[in-house]
């Protein structure tokens, strides 16, 4: 059996793939749309890198990280929505930390904080961006102040 | 037997290599020249990415996509023409669409259009850049108008 | 009289200059050194941007922010240490916040925190990087944990 | 009287400002949010450039194009939402083409096409991205095919 | 009277303009062509910078350095050949070194070396790229060895 | 037996790893520090690439080249000092030239020159940057003149 969603325990995932496409004949406008489609179809991450291609062309390197199972669907999107005639890919391993999620109360409502644990010890703490953004917008506070408050409240609860 | 030129049918090529070199001690001026040499020696693609290296050095990551057969020749060029002491590389797979080429008549002459087919269905259509550029220069038309005309004429022929 | 060091009150400085040089015939290795020289000679900021230049050359745009008084010295360095034959520049205005500095005690020693005030109200708080780095190195703590502790202690003192 | 929205006739606007901030002490996560706020507060354009800053720091140059009238509001956002202690700016001129908008019928509904005219002659034609995206999503067509169809239908109506 | 070609003596040119266009709806393929046209129409320099634009679009900032006299022609090209509806620009000053050119004999033929002089003293020495490239191609020598030989021969002639 | 330091003879090293992390929630300021730690812990090379991530975030791709033996230590640093919850990696091969080092006398002291040999023939010559920098600083000579002198003296000794 294959895990479509990786387990939350610390582990090494050897079923990951990186896909790549070089693009020099497609407007950037379309690429914003393609990124959304790729995430919706199961990509773990999608990102663009500026590259210098032949004949003085500023191009874009599209990269996708995904599980082996998602490759076929993502290829379909790449061929349908970009202008490429080829998609390249290769396997890689990912060492993932254990993940835990906890809710913290702030003066403006609850916020989820994501923890990363290495060998059972917390090494990462990150308030969820969308929670913080919602508070910032609703209460007219700067986003950086929302984060600062949560870091403090999170510390006090330890 | 190994294909030096990939067949035009849709296929997955498992004989591809990506080569990489980091460069921080070589002027950009020379790199334009190196790109030409690498293409001439059989590279499928060559591109540069800006990177940030140690000691505040703006550097360049040179990447090459090529067949296994081309590796030895391309290494020679890299060692002769760049300043690197090491070339790294790893294998990758490429899923390539079926390719077809057709000639279209425009008011200014013939233009080749390249098609990409996935499972026998056209998903890519691209007028050849060099044909379009030649028309733009000869007839004093903007390049974008040349492309627009070809897209239209190509549509009408369907 | 002209201020070589801007006053710490919020103000608009109309005596600032941006200098720019495009470089495509100089190794990145030398540019790390040039940055140090420019800061030492009074530049307020120096930064590099990757640019795509003619003939497929990956180049670098060097930019400097400085006061009018520093222009002559910085030009000398640019002409001596880079390969350029021309330096371009234009004036700009800078709106600077009021700055205050305070010392905070942490379990590992004192750290300076820099504040930025807009209309007399604190909008920026930043522990000094070099203080934090020194603590991280001396005590074997991760840099992000040093910052987190200072944010918390700084909050408690308000 | 000053125009908050530029007139649609071809003209040169001398009341434009470019604002700039260098950032090396703020996560990219927050910058996506800041971009939205700046557009909402009247910026004509906002964009980021990767820069290489001192001490091997990958930084970001935030640039804003705006009218003179918008400067004060945008500064407030920059000081509240980013970590900067200074905002720099300088005036520039913008030559704007005449703009016209027309509705085109497609098999899937109406799409606005934006035209740019230089000396009364059409030089730009651009289907509105959001219209095309909505069609692509609703009808399950690739975005590039939506554009291709509109270019063709737009041509036929001339 | 205005100089179309700057004089070769060291001087400050206050008649220079920087033009800028942001592009997110145009393929990189066309931009290689536009660069050639802009140089042919009198631009002193043309270069591209990768930028991050709204809606997750990788875009390109096109920049041109030119004399006041060239602005009108270059604008025409930008409006004809790119997809922009606006071109922005602002004046700048350029401090240019005195330039001298000398021919050097190498084992493979003559090469022009360009010198830059600050206050009458040589601070820059650069063999002409096209001369060196021609030798490298004709004689099958690496480009870096051609440059190395010229630096040496140039030194010996001092 | 495994070589911790690669032998100086030309060889192909198949025990190399590339590690990668995408970062969008961490300030650039910390990344300068992380680079130093990674080099100190045995990384062969560390470099940053600007990337465009989801939600309009300018991010950074951190890449490390290292031997298989160094992977565990470098992962520890990545998890402790960056904000990532996952580290990905894959094997690669490196073709390394034979390296030789020689001392050259200059008017200002000795400088090490590093040679690279392919099939026993010198193809690379590079004066050591730190030696040249020390001379430039001590004697008030421009760094480019120090390099030029060494290239010349190195030629004469052949």
């Amino acid at each position: 059996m294959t895990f479509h969603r990786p387990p939350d325990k610390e582990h090494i995932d050897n079923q990951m793939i990186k896909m790549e496409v070089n693009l020099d004949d497609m407007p950037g406008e379309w690429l914003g749309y393609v990124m959304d489609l790729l995430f919706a179809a199961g990509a773990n991450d999608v990102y663009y890198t500026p590259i210098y291609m032949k004949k003085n062309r500023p191009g874009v390197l599209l990269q996708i990280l995904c599980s082996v199972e998602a490759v076929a669907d993502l290829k379909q999107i790449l061929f349908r929505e970009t202008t490429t005639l080829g998609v390249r890919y290769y396997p890689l391993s990912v060492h993932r930390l254990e993940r835990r999620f906890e809710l913290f109360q702030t003066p403006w409502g609850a916020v989820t904080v994501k923890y990363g644990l290495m060998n059972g010890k917390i090494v990462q703490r990150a308030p969820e961006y969308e929670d913080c953004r919602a508070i910032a917008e609703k209460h007219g506070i700067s986003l950086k102040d929302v984060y600062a408050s949560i870091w403090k409240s999170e510390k006090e609860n330890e």
Side-chain angles (χ1 to χ4, degrees), chain A:
Chain A
M1 204 202 90
T2 328
F3 290 102
H4 278 258
R5 186 175 173 283
D8 281 331
K9 288 293 164 196
E10 188 173 354
H11 68 287
I12 292 180
D13 182 347
N14 291 313
Q15 300 288 311
M16 294 297 290
I17 297 288
K18 195 199 278 179
M19 304 176 75
E20 297 184 354
V21 175
N22 287 11
L23 294 162
D24 66 0
D25 57 352
M26 179 174 170
E29 202 173 42
W30 300 0
L31 285 168
Y33 178 68
V34 171
M35 185 184 272
D36 292 348
L37 294 181
L38 294 168
F39 274 113
N44 291 45
D45 209 353
V46 182
Y47 53 99
Y48 297 131
T49 308
I51 54 175
Y52 303 67
M53 298 178 72
K54 66 180 174 185
K55 301 183 187 181
N56 268 317
R57 296 174 184 167
V60 172
L61 169 59
L62 183 165
Q63 287 178 279
I64 300 173
L65 300 171
C66 66
S67 64
V68 170
E69 293 83 5
V71 166
D73 285 354
L74 296 172
K75 265 188 200 171
Q76 288 262 346
I77 292 173
L78 291 173
F79 285 129
R80 272 172 47 99
E81 300 284 343
T82 78
T83 51
T84 197
L85 292 164
V87 173
R88 59 187 189 268
Y89 47 95
Y90 48 97
L92 40 77
S93 303
V94 183
H95 183 141
R96 290 189 213 282
L97 296 185
E98 178 182 345
R99 294 176 194 214
R100 288 195 200 148
F101 297 85
E102 289 194 30
L103 266 190
F104 279 87
Q105 292 306 324
T106 76
W108 316 285
V111 169
T112 300
V113 174
K114 184 165 60 180
Y115 294 87
L117 291 84
M118 180 170 56
N119 300 325
K121 189 172 161 294
I122 295 176
V123 289
Q124 312 293 12
R125 294 172 176 85
E128 290 284 17
Y129 167 78
E130 291 298 347
D131 291 355
C132 295
R133 177 179 181 135
I135 286 174
E137 287 178 340
K138 184 172 173 194
H139 295 275
I141 311 165
S142 76
L143 186 63
K144 70 186 176 198
D145 283 345
V146 176
Y147 271 84
S149 294
I150 292 161
W151 279 320
K152 193 192 162 199
S153 111
E154 188 262 354
K155 279 270 166 190
E156 283 164 353
N157 283 279
E158 278 181 11

